[in-house]
Amino acid sequence: MANVRSNESWLQDLAQPGPARETALAELRRVLLRGLPYALASWLPSSDPQFDSFVDEVIQDTLVRVLDRLDSFEGRSRFTTWVQKIAVRIALSELRRKRWRDVSLDGLLEVSGESGLGLMTDPAPGPEAAVERSDVMARVWRIVEEELTDKQRAMLVATRLHGMPLEEAARRMDTNRNALYKLLHDARRRLKKRLGAEGLSVADVLAAFED
Amino acid sequence: MMPKSKGILKRLMEQIERTQEVEYDCGEVHRLLDQYAELCLEQGEDARNLMPLVRQHLELCPDCKEELDALLRALEATQDET
Ligand SMILES: [Zn+2]
């Protein structure tokens, strides 16, 4: 039940080098040290031999970034929430990078077939439903092939089929997470428009899957 | 090439159904994520409706959703000392 500081107090103490800043940094460190094991629970258990050094590094990087970006704190939340948000981003970026380090985009797309969509194959359902389904699917996949660029299809497959994080896919395409999100958004918008133009509602397509 | 998958196609169609003409990108959501997380803790489900564009992005972006979930866990663990 320690010191509940105001946002102004944090900002004021962190603004200048000196004892007040050191105290504030020590308090932030304590908050991060307490919260990160919970934040990372499903990613890196605190029993992992690398946990302590990883968390140390994340905290270090977080505090550097916080001091660097004090001006960008908009006061939309408590200051410590903002700091923890930064720590989570730093930690997950690094964990994602590690987890996907040995996976190449080409390798991923290769196992999914030449157009990248081959993996989307399930065992066929019962005979009659199967006919209707494969008809609907054939139409949908023709639309996917006609509407999307190679890049959009590849990114859709990597991120949505293989679950590659946006940051990781973006790094491999020499782009960034925002640009990649926009590219995927554009792909979804095109598909939505075209399905509409063909009179194929999303509900119709989904209905073809109902048993 | 004619994929026969139900699961993947279904997921894609669900994403298409949720697609809006205007969506926040990950950067815009990150900027608001601390505020959104506090709203979630204070108001639960209602928070989602107070920031609909953030909510909508989170439904479509597993990466940002993972970051929100991690942040919420950290906030819950540190609530009594911040
Ligand atoms: Zn996102």
Side-chain angles (χ1 to χ4, degrees):
Chain A
M1 242 354 130
N3 40 27
V4 178
R5 276 178 184 256
S6 67
N7 287 350
E8 291 68 30
S9 150
W10 283 113
L11 290 173
Q12 194 182 336
D13 286 1
L14 289 167
Q16 306 290 337
R21 176 190 273 186
E22 293 312 312
T23 305
L25 287 176
E27 286 174 32
L28 287 180
R29 177 181 291 277
R30 195 168 48 77
V31 171
L32 291 169
L33 208 48
R34 174 118 179 249
L36 276 170
Y38 293 90
L40 304 182
S42 56
W43 293 80
L44 186 68
S46 48
S47 57
D48 190 289
Q50 299 188 328
F51 182 84
D52 288 345
S53 63
F54 179 75
V55 164
D56 265 358
E57 248 172 72
V58 168
I59 291 177
Q60 204 51 43
D61 292 352
T62 301
L63 296 180
V64 169
R65 196 175 291 185
V66 162
L67 289 179
D68 202 42
R69 299 190 185 173
L70 274 184
D71 286 350
S72 72
F73 176 63
E74 297 176 284
R76 292 176 173 279
S77 66
R78 280 175 301 169
F79 186 75
T80 48
T81 302
W82 181 72
V83 171
Q84 292 192 91
K85 173 182 79 173
I86 292 174
V88 162
R89 167 58 70 89
I90 288 173
L92 294 203
S93 291
E94 182 58 17
L95 290 167
R96 287 169 178 147
R97 196 183 63 76
K98 282 188 174 142
R99 191 174 280 184
W100 289 83
R101 187 167 39 200
D102 300 326
V103 181
S104 82
L105 208 47
D106 287 347
L108 271 194
L109 299 178
E110 209 167 290
V111 291
S112 336
E114 54 162 25
S115 64
L117 297 169
L119 258 199
M120 302 189 179
T121 308
D122 268 357
E128 269 178 43
V131 172
E132 192 184 340
R133 281 180 190 177
S134 62
D135 183 49
V136 173
M137 286 185 217
R139 287 181 69 190
V140 172
W141 286 120
R142 185 171 44 74
I143 290 171
V144 169
E145 297 221 303
E146 288 174 7
E147 287 296 320
L148 303 191
T149 63
D150 289 349
K151 191 175 176 183
Q152 284 174 321
R153 276 207 305 275
M155 289 298 97
L156 199 64
V157 168
T159 62
R160 293 299 173 251
L161 175 56
H162 294 288
M164 180 179 267
L166 291 178
E167 262 167 1
E168 290 305 304
R171 192 202 319 281
R172 288 158 174 80
M173 298 292 284
D174 286 323
T175 179
N176 62 56
R177 180 164 160 182
N178 279 345
L180 181 51
Y181 187 86
K182 285 180 175 137
L183 177 129
L184 291 168
H185 176 217
D186 187 49
R188 284 186 279 109
R189 264 182 19 226
R190 278 163 175 274
L191 294 175
K192 190 171 191 176
K193 205 170 282 178
R194 174 73 184 276
L195 287 167
E198 297 221 355
L200 206 52
S201 79
V202 169
D204 288 343
V205 178
L206 289 179
F209 296 117
E210 298 302 328
D211 285 316
Chain B
M1 190 278 310
M2 192 200 295
K4 300 174 194 70
S5 160
K6 173 173 160 175
I8 302 297
L9 191 55
K10 196 171 169 199
R11 232 182 302 155
L12 179 61
M13 296 308 291
E14 285 164 352
Q15 291 217 338
I16 289 172
E17 193 168 34
R18 291 201 178 110
T19 297
Q20 303 291 324
E21 210 37 44
V22 176
E23 293 180 5
Y24 278 162
D25 64 30
C26 296
E28 289 164 315
V29 168
H30 182 70
R31 187 174 143 244
L32 300 170
L33 202 66
D34 46 345
Q35 182 182 8
Y36 188 81
E38 288 188 352
L39 277 174
C40 287
L41 289 183
E42 287 156 16
Q43 316 205 12
E45 286 294 296
D46 292 345
R48 299 151 52 87
N49 303 322
L50 295 174
M51 298 173 83
L53 282 172
V54 175
R55 185 200 64 197
Q56 197 256 352
H57 180 96
L58 292 167
E59 285 172 354
L60 286 163
C61 182
D63 300 35
C64 286
K65 181 65 166 56
E66 281 171 355
E67 287 165 26
L68 172 68
D69 291 344
L71 178 58
L72 287 174
R73 289 195 298 268
L75 293 178
E76 279 170 347
T78 55
Q79 230 164 10
D80 61 339
E81 59 174 327
T82 52

